[in-house]
Amino acid sequence: MKRTGYSSDLTDQEWALLEPLLPGPRPTGRKRIHSQRVLVNAMLYVLQTGCAWRLLPVNFPSWGTVYAQYRKWRIRGVLKDVHDVLRERVRQAAGRDAQPTAGIIDSQSAKTTEAGGIRGFDGAKKVNGRKRHILVDTLGLILKVVVHPADLQDREGGKLVLNGLKKQYPTLEKVWADQGYTGGFLRWAKDSSDLLVEVVYPWWRQAKRYTPDLVENVDPRKTFHVLPRRWIVERTFAWLGKCRRLSKDYEALPESTETLVYLAMIRLMLRRLGRAPPETSASHTIVM
């Protein structure tokens, strides 16, 4: 059947940015039958449309071939490495340093399906499933994602995110969070991770201390307010929400969900970088 394009496919300019970052052909073994670009386009099709791997259109390679490549890259951490390289390039293109100095942390609960795997019940959101715990920089680009059962409180899940973070981001100094990270988490972050965690409170809570008359009629449950810094991580969740595969947690393994999150951000960053002339660097080529 003749190959037809989809809106999720990479453009020539985007592929020129991505191709040098993917593993090259092995010197021994069988030769490739399908190009990596076709396989990546198939993965992006699953991510954007939310279809099952077995329901890939027939003009893609067989679903087994596509999934085998995705699984291999997930186990080897290829997509995570590609994501990190592209994030540095996007930051530099925006006039920022490659390494961040501040971040914002938050979590999102998602329902799971009959696929199995670990899960839990989030009593606050009334969701039986998992939490996607992410840390983003001030541009909304993901620094780290950890998927865990939804019954794990934010202050405990946040420890999974911040643990060992200084080794990967030595310049990171400050993290903004919401009220779910109060208590012993703030002291733990300072003592264990050498990070200053600042809780951003709603404006009406701050104003009650100084001008209570202005906020006595404010009902926080019925009034929406954009909170400083915290809106950035909420926008990142909105970006991820455009991928139907992430509307629920369809994966049996939390690691697979984490990889899909990185893949979604790869797609977003390639679109941004694709607006400028492609820039390749042999030093960033991933060799497996």
Side-chain angles (χ1 to χ4, degrees), residues 237-262:
F237 281 128
W239 291 341
L240 299 178
K242 295 180 179 180
C243 301
R244 292 191 175 185
R245 184 77 180 192
L246 296 174
S247 60
K248 288 185 179 181
D249 197 325
Y250 294 96
E251 314 305 316
L253 298 176
E255 295 81 5
S256 185
T257 304
E258 294 171 6
T259 303
L260 288 175
V261 171
Y262 288 127

Side-chain angles (χ1 to χ4, degrees), residues 8-239:
S8 57
D9 289 353
L10 297 173
T11 64
D12 293 340
Q13 204 165 10
E14 293 166 351
W15 176 244
L17 291 165
L18 179 61
E19 184 180 16
L21 304 179
L22 296 176
R26 293 186 176 182
T28 60
R30 294 185 301 175
K31 294 184 179 180
R32 289 174 177 168
I33 300 177
H34 306 286
S35 69
Q36 287 186 316
R37 181 173 181 175
V38 174
L39 296 176
V40 171
N41 284 338
M43 297 176 196
L44 294 175
Y45 181 89
V46 171
L47 178 68
Q48 182 167 326
T49 64
C51 75
W53 292 102
R54 295 174 182 267
L55 297 181
L56 273 171
V58 295
N59 53 351
F60 282 120
S62 67
W63 76 269
T65 300
V66 178
Y67 180 76
Q69 184 66 80
Y70 164 78
R71 181 177 180 273
K72 184 184 300 183
W73 285 349
R74 173 180 63 80
I75 295 174
R76 296 179 178 178
V78 171
L79 295 178
K80 171 66 167 58
D81 294 338
V82 171
H83 168 272
D84 292 345
V85 172
L86 292 177
R87 184 192 61 242
E88 293 181 2
R89 292 185 181 180
V90 172
R91 288 183 56 85
Q92 291 173 338
R96 307 292 183 91
D97 293 333
Q99 294 296 323
T101 58
I104 308 99
I105 190 173
D106 202 359
S107 68
Q108 178 190 58
S109 297
K111 294 181 179 179
T112 51
T113 64
E114 72 284 353
I118 61 172
R119 66 187 69 191
F121 183 75
D122 183 356
K125 301 293 181 62
K126 302 297 186 294
V127 171
N128 184 27
R130 299 174 184 154
K131 280 185 179 180
R132 300 163 187 165
H133 227 120
I134 66 173
L135 177 72
V136 303
D137 63 8
T138 53
L139 295 178
L141 306 177
I142 289 181
L143 302 177
K144 187 176 180 180
V145 56
V146 176
V147 177
H148 57 76
D151 57 353
L152 198 64
Q153 294 183 350
D154 283 353
R155 61 176 64 94
E156 297 300 324
K159 294 180 181 180
L160 300 177
V161 179
L162 300 187
N163 187 31
L165 198 66
K166 269 288 189 176
K167 296 180 180 179
Q168 185 176 2
Y169 306 103
T171 60
L172 192 65
E173 298 176 355
K174 190 173 185 178
V175 173
W176 287 283
D178 61 20
Q179 301 173 67
Y181 299 88
T182 54
F185 177 79
L186 305 181
R187 181 179 297 275
W188 175 91
K190 185 63 177 177
D191 296 340
S192 301
S193 301
D194 194 24
L195 290 172
L196 175 62
V197 178
E198 179 181 329
V199 177
V200 180
Y201 291 100
W203 71 270
W204 52 266
R205 179 169 176 176
Q206 297 284 359
K208 278 185 178 180
R209 299 181 181 180
Y210 309 105
T211 54
D213 295 339
L214 295 179
V215 295
E216 61 178 352
N217 296 323
V218 173
D219 187 350
R221 297 171 296 179
K222 298 181 179 179
T223 308
F224 174 77
H225 301 283
V226 177
L227 300 180
R229 304 296 181 181
R230 281 172 52 184
W231 68 269
I232 298 176
V233 68
E234 296 296 344
R235 182 184 60 181
T236 303
F237 281 128
W239 291 341

Side-chain angles (χ1 to χ4, degrees), residues 257-270:
T257 304
E258 294 171 6
T259 303
L260 288 175
V261 171
Y262 288 127
L263 182 61
M265 293 303 296
I266 287 174
R267 187 70 188 91
L268 182 144
M269 291 186 292
L270 285 176

